[in-house]
Amino acid sequence: MASQISPHVRVRFAPSPTGYLHVGGARTALYNYLYAKKNGGEFILRIEDTDEARSTQESLRGVVDDMVWLNLLWAEGVDPVTLKDVGPLGPYRQSERQDIYKKYADELLNAGKAYYCFLTDEEIEKQREEALKAGRSPHVNSPYQDWTLDQAKAKIAEGGKAVVRFKTRELKKDYILNDQVRGEVRFPSDMVGDFVILRSGGMPVYNFCCVIDDHLMKMTHVFRAEEHLPNTLRQMMIYEAFGWQLPEFGHMALILDEDRQKLSKRKGAVACGLLKEEGYLPSAVLNFIALLGWSHPEGKEIMSVDDMIQAFDISRLNHSGAIFDRVKFKWMNAQHLRALPNADLWKAIQPFLAREKMELPQDPVWQDKSISLFKPYMEVLADAIELYKPLNDKSYVILPEADETMKWEPTKAVLTAWRDLVAALPNEFMTEDEFLKLQDEVKNKTGAKGKNLFMPIRVAVIGKPHGAELKILVPLIKKSSLLARAEQALAKI
Ligand code: GLU
């Protein structure tokens, strides 16, 4: 009997905790999340950890933390802190649902829709080779599909090792999927042979668990990556065998690198955790991945999650591959970063400055001023490190690249004049105008100009003759620090 699927939207993200959260996975999660929010439904996190050898607690922890970082929070699944089950239709970890899968596998066995198969790997391989030689389809052709259940059980009782296979022989010819992204997809059922649903140890396989769980967890829609399309045929067969109603499916196109190859980490970070370390903002990551295969109806590019929820429509998903343009990604991050209030941006760069153990003024006015001045030069939060380093007294060293400047004849006079004029300043910090005026005074006093003037002053401020613009940096450095640096430079001559 077909069960009734509630009209209340329920969608899920179902990661296998065998590695890190990849931007592709994050996009799948995001589209499901947006769909749920748009439709007042629920977004669920299910953990597909039946691959015992590859699933780890560490990976689960990482995936959950990355989802929390992205603020893609779920209504049911595992608790983000304890990783324990939360929600009425759990357990949400497949490794804890073995009994449920067994019960449904038994149902198919009893109905003759699945069977115990005792073929060994060698026998299967031999069959495959012979089939290929004879130009037949290489699918397994198991003699055990005609055994009665009692016969099979007797063999198991004698120690026989069996997998459970789903029987495809009597199925209809074609399966048609009305995919919400790709339109009509036609699968000839002979695309697959009798596939395994339970391994010989009793561990169920992905396609089987996925159907049981999507049904029992009352999923209305399944949006996932295109690479699962061949699985969908198997899953449709299982739904049919149980007489369950199919959820709506939508398969999202691949994300490609600039050279149109499948996105890989060779060209840069694809793991959400690494993006976080490089200083991408979660809002920018979400904005960027949202546009990998979807577009705002008014062509809007910079969006908040609320903007996305408002505008999200699965029919606007593109079914050709989306290009992961890293230059655009950085640009987009810069837009999000520059839109942050100064105090928030200051807070956001703290973990980056802490990596370098910087000691910077605690004064909020100074912090605000520094952010205003540096913001236009920041694309990712990690850029703050190089920008702020010259302001950190402990980082001041005279670098070997200053050697030549230090040997020039006018350098000593320039440095002396600079130090004396700085010492005479009335305030703790000078303004940009005061700095420019002071530089002119050094020029008048010493007669030095051009690089003979600018380079020694740079060395006295940042320890090298080239680099950041002094008129931005100097107003952020305390008079006492400027003096100490000037003395250090003079002492080198
Ligand atoms: N565990 C599968 C994966 O990580 C999920 C596939 C699905 O959404 O059905 O690819």
Side-chain angles (χ1 to χ4, degrees), residues 379-436:
E379 287 185 307
V380 291
L381 297 172
D383 290 340
I385 298 174
E386 288 310 310
L387 289 167
Y388 277 87
K389 226 187 224 167
L391 307 184
N392 181 32
D393 286 336
K394 289 214 177 114
S395 314
Y396 180 74
V397 276
I398 298 164
L399 294 165
E401 55 199 275
D403 285 356
E404 205 203 318
T405 308
M406 297 301 264
K407 282 188 208 134
W408 293 339
E409 201 257 286
T411 296
K412 189 168 182 184
V414 169
L415 291 178
T416 311
W418 164 257
R419 180 200 56 197
D420 295 346
L421 287 162
V422 169
L425 282 169
N427 300 324
E428 198 183 11
F429 289 99
M430 66 177 114
T431 62
E432 181 182 330
D433 281 348
E434 280 170 332
F435 165 70
L436 294 171

Side-chain angles (χ1 to χ4, degrees), residues 276-388:
K276 179 181 176 190
E277 260 176 51
E278 286 181 12
Y280 282 85
L281 296 173
S283 64
V285 174
L286 293 176
N287 189 165
F288 183 70
I289 61 179
L291 293 174
L292 293 173
W294 173 74
S295 60
H296 189 280
E298 286 143 33
K300 214 169 164 176
E301 287 244 284
I302 303 296
M303 282 175 272
S304 67
V305 172
D306 284 341
D307 294 330
M308 295 176 211
I309 294 172
Q310 288 279 321
F312 194 70
D313 178 354
I314 213 82
S315 72
R316 289 188 66 79
L317 291 201
N318 204 322
H319 50 79
S320 49
I323 308 284
F324 194 86
D325 176 345
R326 290 173 194 277
V327 173
K328 183 163 179 195
F329 188 17
K330 226 180 197 179
W331 168 84
M332 192 167 273
N333 198 62
Q335 308 310 306
H336 278 258
L337 184 152
R338 287 172 201 161
L340 284 180
N342 283 3
D344 293 353
L345 183 51
W346 173 259
K347 216 166 135 203
I349 61 175
Q350 292 318 298
F352 294 86
L353 302 184
R355 279 188 209 164
E356 299 288 320
K357 302 203 172 29
M358 285 194 212
E359 282 170 24
L360 297 170
Q362 298 297 311
D363 173 16
V365 177
W366 181 90
Q367 293 168 353
D368 183 71
K369 188 163 93 178
S370 71
I371 290 283
S372 293
L373 289 168
F374 286 153
K375 217 181 217 183
Y377 303 94
M378 271 188 232
E379 287 185 307
V380 291
L381 297 172
D383 290 340
I385 298 174
E386 288 310 310
L387 289 167
Y388 277 87

